[in-house]
Amino acid sequence: MPGGRLTQQERQQIALGVADDLAYAEIARRLDRPTSTITREVMRNGGPTAYRADLAHRATERRARRHRQTASLDPKTHPQAHGRDAEAVREYEETFTTVLIQSGTPKMMARVLACLTLTDAGSLTASELVQRLQVSPASVSKAIRYLESQGLVRRERDARRRERYVVDDDVWYESMMASARATAHLVETARRGVGILGPHTLAATRLENIARFADFVSESIARAAEQAREILHTKPETTPDGTPTPRSDRA
């Protein structure tokens, strides 16, 4: 199986496969690459609806240059715990960030949220975020204000009285509930239109159907989020010395 970075020709084959609605596993089989490589490549370069081989290739070259420049400035940047592969972690962070952007989170805010989420502690100081993301303090401050307004992060003081930004365990619960509330607002608006357009007209019927659909989805999201909320508070199982137990070793 070939290793190393994807070539431009391989990216063209990926683009053709995506355009033909082939599964990532099938594209990977044709290129003799791991499925995870294809998935990561597509998701961090626009997703299946916007993937372009030439743009993806140029973006990868830019990321590689930026990574080399950062490494040359500080070879100790992003030390990895637990024997993690630093390059794999960096690439995954880019993929995770891309997914957040595609879900509607602004780019800088998505980078900060991904950075916080992928730390074991779930918290970083402003200076740590600046160093990890190689951005200005003002960019971090703006991103934090936005994420706070969405209930996605909170501030706290550590033992040294430094302000830290924390991804709360309930961040995804709050995100789902916000989505449910937004959908419920759509229901209310659609039903208001029924009365304005006339209850027995085609337009009003369409709005009523939208309202019924969105109402069901909103209630389902809220109910599922409440039922699954405790999952977000599950802690890793550990051995007597405090080392996390791999899931494959758990009963």
Side-chain angles (χ1 to χ4, degrees), residues 15-206:
L16 290 173
V18 169
D20 289 340
D21 289 328
L22 294 180
Y24 294 153
E26 175 59 21
I27 298 173
R29 186 189 67 77
R30 295 184 180 189
L31 294 177
D32 195 19
R33 290 278 191 170
T35 301
S36 60
T37 297
I38 307 305
T39 303
R40 184 168 61 243
E41 167 68 16
V42 174
M43 294 307 296
R44 72 179 177 185
N45 289 293
T49 59
Y51 183 81
R52 300 291 182 273
D54 55 342
L55 297 178
H57 196 69
R58 288 199 293 270
T60 299
E61 290 179 335
R62 287 196 300 271
R63 284 193 294 264
R65 285 196 298 271
R66 188 168 64 244
H67 179 62
R68 287 194 296 270
Q69 291 168 355
T70 300
S72 66
L73 290 172
D74 185 1
K76 296 183 179 179
T77 299
H78 308 316
Q80 297 297 321
H82 310 297
R84 292 167 178 152
D85 183 322
E87 181 67 11
V89 171
R90 185 185 66 81
E91 289 189 356
Y92 177 75
E93 186 169 326
E94 289 182 2
T95 301
F96 191 71
T97 299
T98 298
V99 171
L100 291 175
I101 292 171
Q102 291 174 339
S103 70
T105 307
K107 183 177 180 180
M108 190 65 237
M109 292 62 174
R111 292 188 67 197
V112 170
L113 183 58
C115 191
L116 288 169
T117 301
L118 300 183
T119 61
D120 286 311
S123 70
L124 292 167
T125 65
S127 62
E128 287 170 337
L129 282 167
V130 167
Q131 181 183 19
R132 285 169 177 258
L133 298 176
Q134 295 293 296
V135 296
S136 69
S139 295
V140 168
S141 179
K142 181 179 179 180
I144 290 295
R145 285 198 301 273
Y146 172 86
L147 293 170
E148 275 189 307
S149 72
Q150 301 299 306
L152 298 175
V153 302
R154 57 183 171 82
R155 301 172 190 243
E156 65 179 29
R157 295 280 181 179
D158 61 19
R160 296 168 58 183
R161 303 299 298 166
R162 296 178 304 177
E163 189 173 72
R164 302 187 70 85
Y165 308 124
V166 183
V167 174
D168 196 273
D169 286 339
D170 272 335
V171 61
W172 302 108
Y173 166 79
E174 295 295 345
S175 176
M176 290 298 103
M177 293 304 290
S179 175
R181 288 191 293 272
T183 307
H185 183 62
L186 171 62
V187 173
E188 178 187 342
T189 302
R191 287 203 165 124
R192 189 163 64 246
V194 171
I196 294 172
L197 298 175
H200 301 297
T201 64
L202 290 174
T205 299
R206 185 179 304 114

